[in-house]
Amino acid sequence: MKTELALQKRSELPIPRRKLWVTVKQQKYLFLMMLPAIVWALIFAYTPMVGLYMSFVNYQPTLGGFWHTLFHSEFVGFKWFQYFFNNGDFLIVMRNTLASTLITLLFSFPMPILIAIAINEIRSVRFKKTVQTASYLPYFISWVIAANIIVTLLSSDGAINGILKFLHITRESVLFLQHGSYFWWIVAIGNTWKDMGYNSIMYLAAISSINQELYEAAKVDGASRFKQIRYITLPHLKPTIVILLILALGGILNAGFDQHFLLGNDLTRDYSDVLSTYSFRYGIQNGMFSYASAVGMFSSVVAFIIVIIVNNIAKRLNGQSLF
């Protein structure tokens, strides 16, 4: 007993901090393996952040080179942010962005959990692999192809209208992509169909790490499959669900460019125009690079703040957090 207490006290003593160069020397191969990822992050993630300065200047491309023109442009402060907030497009674009992402989150977040649980309950290995492969395939299809599939299904002579007419729900074809009120739901269902199989991989990995003895003990006690899912699977998935929910809420202003650009048109612009397509239209098509940069920076800052807030709320309520 005394020996155990002595070991416990010794383990509670603070561990002396090693010097950085000693740690690097001892774990040099691990740091060498990390080097490509660090270089990639510096080049593609941090170096472009210098371009955020464009949001505070009146940038106009010239023959003098990008960096020379950027740092010699007229500094205007928060002019472009004020222009965005006071512009009549702000409320429409924010409404479309929030509505599209929230409806998508409503469909796309629980579906991977349900798919992972359903796949885990399949006993036939061959059928399980077939279902997994079928659910993953849409993720690897580009949005150009996926958008064409959706347009074909929703066309006046497409499969959806054919089913509606066969069931006598409608007499005439419904022009889904010409009515803005349908657009958010179409994008939400399209996003869910495309990503749910791939997103279920993380939940399947979490389920595979659950101790199988818990299920065996539950079977001995007479627990049905539903009760095993309710009292064993879901509680063990809770940390993964919380972390992925924090990340999903952090991207609440990222409604997605591809699907809105490809599925939207002039008839549905009041519903399809989100922050990403709005900044593309003003930045690339209209040449207002500083204004588009300000819109993108606003989206990133708000997303960062949301992640911090949601992470702190999750930590206080459930003890689970991203950091």
Side-chain angles (χ1 to χ4, degrees), residues 13-31:
L13 293 174
I15 301 174
R17 295 183 177 179
R18 298 178 178 178
K19 293 183 179 180
L20 179 60
W21 68 271
V22 176
T23 305
V24 173
K25 185 177 179 180
Q26 292 180 348
Q27 303 178 6
K28 55 184 177 182
Y29 295 110
L30 294 177
F31 281 96

Side-chain angles (χ1 to χ4, degrees), residues 6 21 119 161 199 226 232 247 291:
W21 68 271
I119 291 175
N161 275 305
N199 292 338
F226 177 77
I232 299 177
L247 294 174
Y291 181 55

Side-chain angles (χ1 to χ4, degrees), residues 123 213-225 228 232:
R123 295 293 176 254
E213 293 181 358
L214 296 174
Y215 292 103
E216 294 174 2
K219 291 178 182 178
V220 172
D221 292 338
S224 61
R225 283 194 178 184
Q228 292 176 35
I232 299 177

Side-chain angles (χ1 to χ4, degrees), residues 181-251:
S181 56
Y182 298 147
F183 188 82
W184 298 336
W185 302 94
I186 293 171
V187 170
I189 295 172
N191 283 326
T192 303
W193 162 72
K194 196 171 184 303
D195 298 337
M196 62 183 181
Y198 184 81
N199 292 338
S200 67
I201 295 176
M202 289 172 283
Y203 295 107
L204 283 169
I207 292 174
S208 65
S209 65
I210 300 175
N211 190 352
Q212 295 300 313
E213 293 181 358
L214 296 174
Y215 292 103
E216 294 174 2
K219 291 178 182 178
V220 172
D221 292 338
S224 61
R225 283 194 178 184
F226 177 77
K227 288 186 177 180
Q228 292 176 35
I229 294 171
R230 180 179 178 184
Y231 295 107
I232 299 177
T233 306
L234 289 177
H236 282 81
L237 285 178
K238 184 179 177 181
T240 306
I241 292 173
V242 171
I243 291 174
L244 293 180
L245 180 61
I246 293 171
L247 294 174
L249 290 174

